[in-house]
Amino acid sequence: MRFSPFPLLASGAVLLTLLASCQSRSADSATATSPAETAPTDTTVAPSPNDGITAAGIGAHIKVLASDEFQGRKPFTVGEQKATDYLAAEFKKLGLKPGPDGSYFQAVPLVEITGMPAPTMQVTGGKTPLTLNYKTDYMAFTEQEKEKVAVTNSPLVFAGYGVVAPEYGWNDYAGLDVKGKTVVVLVNDPGNAGNDTTMFKGHAMTYYGRWMYKYEEAARQGATGLLIIHDTKPAAYPWSVVQSSYSGAKLRTQTADKGASKCTLEGWITLDAAKKLFQAAGQSYDEAYAAANQKGFKARPLGLSISTSITNKLRRQTSKNVVAVLPGATRPNEYVLYSAHWDHLGIGPAINGDSIYNGAADNASGCAALLSIAKAFTQAKEKPGRSIVFLAVTGEEQGLLGSKYYATHPLFPVNKTVADLNMDDLPTMGPMRDLTVIGYGQSELDDYARAAAQEQDRYILPDQNADKGYFFRSDHFSFAHVGVPSLYASGQADSRLKGKAYAKQRAEEFEAKNYHQPSDEYSPTADYRGMEQDARLLFRVGQRLAQETTFPQWKPGSEFKAVREKSMAAK
């Protein structure tokens, strides 16, 4: 997963990413830093301390992990075996302990669901029957592990944004019984998608705006199905991205109930199809949209029912997370977690004669930084008071599957886990002045990041595309989802030696030419000093967290604050 501090490019690869992460309001349009965080004016690169974290060491790990021998590190391939064996061997070489079961691996059971929806969705109950066509009007899928699922005459209900957010005084399901029904909702959240930026976090997307939340909430409410209305502007991607992202085989984590707790039908409909539904219901889409953006909105039945089905092919296999531990000296039963995903896309369509999607930046870089930080901890004179957990996860490219599995099947208690520090897709621009924090304003980890950045004469830059919801698109989010404060940050926007324009040009070039393409390869001439800088910064944050006795908190207004408080109350 890659995030950009600059306006998003409209390339297919970047758009596909949108579907596959002090003052919360400040992230809305924070294109400038506060006076205390103005950019340094010098271009001097400070000498590196002798802590074991080096650009050369990071580059050496990337060279191995992104080699053709590792075949793009796709789960269930020889590339997975080579990558996970390499990481485990490196952890063992450093003297790190395996997980609590004596293994460096955590088995992650996955199911591959290849769904083949019916060619049409039948809509009845209006003055005349309405037929919606697969791909043209709707996309449908299911997470239920069945050879076939069907909805038959399921009543349609419009439930605004499909959001239940107590901290914002918002409940689109208030007084609504959706059992047996299919819910139709708008994309995004009321603050981000609407015109009133005083609601929620304004232009900064909250988790309530993400499609995954909407499916989860509908399932909690007992709905049979959920259809999200696609609108290009608030979605920030065209319908073609929905078409490509929700067709073909998809991996999901296996669950004890085989997905029975999920909605039978999950899907999207086009804006034009939605307007046809409202017209068939004798209602105005524009009026319903306006009402959904007002506090006190009441869900409304459409007086229509839908029928459709999905035939599935199922394949179950097991992938692996890699885990290693440095036991704490004084508080060994409390944990600081570092995460990075080892997987990439494997072997795919050839581009310029190359079919191996090596994933050097995405995310051999994060794994290389993970190993370098592990080395720094093992050779540091001061041993950490808390235990340090190093976790390399599977399935990020398929939807954060490995980290999601760990978060729901933790090897170490979630309420004893102090924080997650995540590394994903570190840029090769050399030393940076900025530290761009994705999800800035969410937790007190901002303050830890600021202190570590100041040690390197750097400044904090809030996420410049907070409306795109990048905070929810890398593995740290899986930990945030269960309440663990999480930090996802790296230098992105301001090269210390060449300035902002250079950084912008490099970021745009990477996203247009290399992101999720075979050309994301190891280069012996790449400048890995920025990765060294970021790894050292996260090492320093982890050192501080490991020596403290307190736990960092979510800030007021964070959608993850309540779940953390509930978790901690159970300690």
Side-chain angles (χ1 to χ4, degrees), residues 50 91 98 107 396 426 471:
N50 185 24
F91 285 139
E396 190 270 355
L426 302 175
F471 184 76

Side-chain angles (χ1 to χ4, degrees), residues 504-516:
K504 180 178 181 180
Q505 178 187 351
R506 286 291 306 275
E508 290 178 347
E509 286 178 352
F510 182 89
E511 295 200 10
K513 299 177 180 179
N514 305 116
Y515 177 69
H516 279 196

